């Protein structure tokens, strides 16, 4: 699978229901360097990411991602997206929770090194305009 298709398929996965995300997509030496407005800098490895997705499965009834941009340059793919969740306590209400931009380096047909920035959704989001359907 080419790099762009790999990243697109990863973000189209069902993170709540699929338990084999790590095996399918993560390189054994994966590193995600994540700058967040809420938590500052986090550096996550394979086990950290497996634990993260385990917590996602426990916390949410559903999660989806809306991508607006997907760009490839050699073995690097950049993706801009927004997370939407439904909680177990209120599965009828979908909430947009955060905006992300991630640059992935692909190695051995797996996500190898990621550089990610995120910020929470606010009342001033222009989601209706900035996340209109863009061909990715």
């Amino acid at each position: 699978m080419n790099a762009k298709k790999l990243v697109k398929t990863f973000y189209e996965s069902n993170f709540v229901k699929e338990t084999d995300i790590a095996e399918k997509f993560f390189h054994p030496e994966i590193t995600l360097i994540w700058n967040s407005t809420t938590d500052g800098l986090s550096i996550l490895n394979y086990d950290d990411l497996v634990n993260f997705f385990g917590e996602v499965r426990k916390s949410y009834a559903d999660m989806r991602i809306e991508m607006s941009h997907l760009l490839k340059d050699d073995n690097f793919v950049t993706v801009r997206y927004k997370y939407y969740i439904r909680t177990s306590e209120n599965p009828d209400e979908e909430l947009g929770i955060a905006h992300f931009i991630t640059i992935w380096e692909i190695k051995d047909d797996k996500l190898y090194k990621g550089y990610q920035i995120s910020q929470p959704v606010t009342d001033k989001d222009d989601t209706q305009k900035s996340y209109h359907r863009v061909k990715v």
Side-chain angles (χ1 to χ4, degrees):
M1 175 179 325
N2 71 43
K4 189 173 179 180
K5 176 98 170 135
L6 173 76
V7 172
K8 185 174 188 219
T9 303
F10 171 67
Y11 285 104
E12 289 174 342
S13 298
N14 186 329
F15 297 128
V16 172
K17 298 202 177 15
E18 293 180 43
T19 58
D20 61 346
I21 297 287
E23 295 84 15
K24 286 187 346 190
F25 295 102
F26 296 167
H27 189 280
E29 298 171 5
I30 191 171
T31 302
L32 177 62
I33 300 167
W34 183 355
N35 287 287
S36 164
T37 55
T38 54
D39 296 327
L41 177 68
S42 299
I43 300 174
L44 307 173
N45 62 28
Y46 187 95
D47 291 336
D48 298 326
L49 291 165
V50 167
N51 291 336
F52 172 79
F53 283 103
E55 289 301 315
V56 165
R57 282 191 293 282
K58 290 179 193 173
S59 301
Y60 302 124
D62 188 39
M63 172 185 272
R64 75 176 175 89
I65 292 172
E66 186 174 67
M67 286 182 276
S68 66
H69 296 80
L70 187 64
L71 310 167
K72 180 182 177 299
D73 184 24
D74 291 326
N75 63 325
F76 292 90
V77 178
T78 302
V79 58
R80 177 180 180 251
Y81 56 100
K82 181 178 179 180
Y83 272 118
Y84 294 86
I85 56 100
R86 293 178 191 270
T87 63
S88 300
E89 297 80 20
N90 191 4
D92 295 331
E93 181 181 23
E94 182 178 70
L95 301 169
I97 58 169
H99 301 279
F100 292 80
I101 295 177
T102 308
I103 302 168
W104 281 110
E105 179 181 354
I106 308 305
K107 181 178 178 181
D108 302 328
D109 296 321
K110 301 274 186 174
L111 302 175
Y112 174 63
K113 189 166 277 192
Y115 306 90
Q116 178 168 278
I117 59 171
S118 66
Q119 65 181 42
V121 167
T122 68
D123 294 346
K124 297 179 182 180
D125 284 352
D126 68 342
T127 346
Q128 300 301 335
K129 296 176 186 171
S130 69
Y131 282 88
H132 63 281
R133 297 289 175 199
V134 176
K135 184 178 178 185
V136 292

